[in-house]
Amino acid sequence: VPMAKGGHRTVVITQGGDPALVAFRGHVTQHPIIMLPKEKLVDTNGAGDAYVGGFLAALSKDLPVDECCKAGAYSASVIVQ
């Protein structure tokens, strides 16, 4: 899907307990999540949404993608407990 003004899309794919994937300009990078012990997991519903919220909050502050992923991972790790 083309973007207005010649911009480039950033695609973020969360994968549950596996690293998140970020695709930008034809390159795909993996970013770690925060693994929690099973006894701390209460409900994983909303983890992906929380990841997106943390990612976008960091992106709105013009942080680099790896920092955005760290913010997303943190947000997701909090919401599942």
Side-chain angles (χ1 to χ4, degrees):
V1 177
M3 286 188 62
K5 300 181 184 175
H8 297 280
R9 293 190 187 277
T10 300
V11 178
V12 180
I13 302 168
T14 59
Q15 307 185 100
D18 293 328
L21 303 176
V22 177
F24 181 71
R25 290 187 167 192
H27 299 288
V28 178
T29 54
Q30 291 187 2
H31 299 270
I33 59 158
I34 298 172
M35 289 298 292
L36 297 171
K38 287 187 179 187
E39 58 271 6
K40 284 194 166 191
L41 295 177
V42 175
D43 187 357
T44 58
N45 284 324
D49 293 333
Y51 189 101
V52 170
F55 185 95
L56 291 175
L59 189 63
S60 73
K61 295 179 180 182
D62 292 323
L63 294 177
V65 169
D66 62 324
E67 292 298 317
C68 295
C69 289
K70 288 178 185 175
Y74 174 77
S75 296
S77 74
V78 170
I79 202 72
V80 298
Q81 295 185 51

